Amino acid sequence: MYTALNLSTSDDFNMSEFDSQRPQELSHHSVKISIIIVLGVVVTLGNIAVLLAITSSVSGWSRNSRYFLLSLTAADSAFGLLVMPLNLWVSLLKDYTEGPDALCHVVAFCNATVYSTCMYTLATISLERYIAVFYPLQYSSLLTRKRTLFLIAFAWCFPPILLSPISLPDGIIQVHFSSASLVCNPSYSTNVGYSLSLTCVIFFPCSVIMTFANLKVWCAAKRQRLKLRKYDSARRSRLNVPSRVLVPVMGAYYICWTPCMAAMIYNAVTGSSVPEWIEFVVVWLPTSNGFLNCIFYFWINRSFRKKFYLVLQKLALALCPELASTFVCCTTSKMQFASGILDNNNSVHGRSSSVSSTCTLLSVA
């Protein structure tokens, strides 16, 4: 009788503790879903804006560069259009007490494939820029259109082949749904060799290629900048373009991807998981790299911004002809004023004043 009473009291205590923790878990769940939705919207809108401009010709960008950047934009767009909706769908429909199923295996396969494709694409872009800087005369022969498309096809086709065991429900890779990160993840602790081989085949080779290529390009640009300073004192006030582009690109890559890889290796080696919110951050942090790529690879580029303004002008003309004239004039005024400063043209003030007067007249009309 005493034992039964004791067990009953213990059960009641556990149930009351579970009931007290349930509202907190629900609040955490809603906060995580809100963060994922906001991140997905930002990544999607940013890459849609990039696609609008890059699908048309951008001055100063070669054909091969456009192909690689289109591949990167497509891979980053997959974060917001494929990875996030699938994981949100599973997190809303799946009961946490249920075991792994075929749907969770498919979602985990899509997650790993998109992440790997993004890393391979970043590595191919770094390789293309390295060849363009150090072998400019042999660029056309080294990176032909066929080889460029082959590298892009490799970045998109090799990850699904390498990660195909994750998609098999009865395969060697076990998959579970994590309530901490709201993601279907492979159980790396039960497949240590496979998880370590993934990092050795995907993360470390891509990191080595990106670090080597960008570091060499940065050093070459720095040497060239120092030489220009000796012959032209006006160059001293010029912005440090390599530090403004290459350093943020590499910094964002390592900040977004290294914690995720470290957590995966830690889980595989020790068999234990990291704390809840740390796991959520490190799992979804690589997704933010899809938005940072839009800033570092595109918005810093003057030719891209100019092309994007032209695309907005066309959209404004098509959607709202009444307001488009004012937008077109004001945008043209900014572009002409900026180009005049760069060209050191003395007639900029007169042209900008004329355009501003025309904008004022159109606005009044």
Side-chain angles (χ1 to χ4, degrees):
M1 178 69 68
Y2 177 78
T3 304
L5 179 61
N6 190 14
L7 289 176
S8 176
T9 305
S10 176
D11 292 340
D12 292 340
F13 176 77
N14 292 333
M15 289 299 297
S16 62
E17 183 180 3
F18 176 78
D19 292 337
S20 63
Q21 292 179 354
R22 187 63 178 174
Q24 184 179 4
E25 292 179 358
L26 292 176
S27 63
H28 289 178
H29 184 76
S30 60
V31 171
K32 292 176 183 178
I33 290 180
S34 301
I35 294 174
I36 294 173
I37 292 175
V38 171
L39 186 60
V41 171
V42 170
V43 171
T44 303
L45 292 179
N47 285 279
I48 288 176
V50 169
L51 284 175
L52 290 176
I54 201 174
T55 48
S56 57
S57 60
V58 179
S59 60
W61 289 5
S62 64
R63 180 187 61 187
N64 292 339
S65 298
R66 288 181 59 207
Y67 287 158
F68 284 119
L69 293 175
L70 278 173
S71 176
L72 177 63
T73 306
D76 291 339
S77 300
F79 283 129
L81 298 177
L82 183 64
V83 172
M84 293 182 178
L86 285 178
N87 287 278
L88 286 177
W89 183 35
V90 173
S91 64
L92 293 175
L93 296 181
K94 185 177 177 60
D95 188 0
Y96 297 157
T97 59
E98 295 178 357
D101 51 12
L103 177 60
C104 210
H105 277 269
V106 173
V107 174
F109 170 74
C110 293
N111 296 341
T113 300
V114 173
Y115 279 38
S116 303
T117 300
C118 186
M119 282 191 284
Y120 277 124
T121 305
L122 290 171
T124 55
I125 290 176
S126 300
L127 182 62
E128 185 265 342
R129 293 189 173 184
Y130 175 82
I131 295 175
V133 171
F134 289 96
Y135 303 96
L137 299 179
Q138 296 86 7
Y139 179 84
S140 299
S141 58
L142 291 176
L143 272 184
T144 61
R145 183 174 181 271
K146 185 176 181 180
R147 291 177 181 176
T148 299
L149 295 179
F150 172 78
L151 288 175
I152 294 175
F154 174 82
W156 283 88
C157 297
F158 181 68
I161 297 175
L162 179 66
L163 301 170
S164 57
I166 299 179
S167 62
L168 303 177
D170 299 328
I172 59 174
I173 304 299
Q174 298 180 6
V175 174
H176 70 281
F177 178 79
S178 174
S179 59
S181 58
L182 303 183
V183 170
C184 290
N185 282 326
S187 300
Y188 298 110
S189 58
T190 58
N191 301 275
V192 180
Y194 186 76
S195 59
L196 294 178
S197 63
L198 288 181
T199 57
C200 294
V201 174
I202 298 176
F203 177 71
F204 290 114
C206 294
S207 301
V208 170
I209 293 174
M210 289 186 63
T211 304
F212 173 79
N214 286 282
L215 185 61
K216 293 287 288 185
V217 171
W218 181 82
C219 292
K222 185 177 181 180
R223 289 195 300 267
Q224 186 67 20
R225 186 166 175 262
L226 293 176
K227 290 180 181 179
L228 290 175
R229 282 184 176 182
K230 295 179 181 180
Y231 299 101
D232 189 358
S233 59
R235 297 285 184 179
R236 296 179 183 273
S237 61
R238 186 179 178 182
L239 291 176
N240 192 350
V241 177
S243 298
R244 191 161 54 97
V245 178
L246 298 180
V247 174
V249 164
M250 291 304 304
Y253 173 79
Y254 279 110
I255 290 174
C256 292
W257 291 98
T258 303
C260 182
M261 297 297 109
M264 186 179 71
I265 295 175
Y266 174 81
N267 186 13
V269 174
T270 62
S272 59
S273 60
V274 297
E276 176 185 357
W277 278 101
I278 296 180
E279 179 182 346
F280 176 79
V281 171
V282 300
V283 167
W284 288 103
L285 191 59
T287 309
S288 61
N289 193 223
F291 175 71
L292 296 178
N293 289 333
C294 298
I295 299 175
F296 299 139
Y297 281 100
F298 300 103
W299 294 108
I300 293 179
N301 189 284
R302 186 185 308 155
S303 299
F304 173 82
R305 293 198 304 269
K306 181 178 179 180
K307 188 63 182 181
F308 183 72
Y309 291 150
L310 295 176
V311 172
L312 288 184
Q313 291 177 11
K314 293 180 180 179
L315 290 176
L317 286 171
L319 298 177
C320 189
E322 294 79 6
L323 299 178
S325 57
T326 304
F327 174 79
V328 170
C329 288
C330 294
T331 306
T332 306
S333 175
K334 293 180 181 179
M335 292 169 57
Q336 288 183 351
F337 183 74
S339 63
I341 292 177
L342 294 173
D343 296 337
N344 197 18
N345 195 333
N346 294 327
S347 62
V348 173
H349 181 71
R351 289 204 309 270
S352 62
S353 299
S354 176
V355 174
S356 300
S357 301
T358 305
C359 288
T360 304
L361 291 175
L362 288 174
S363 300
V364 174

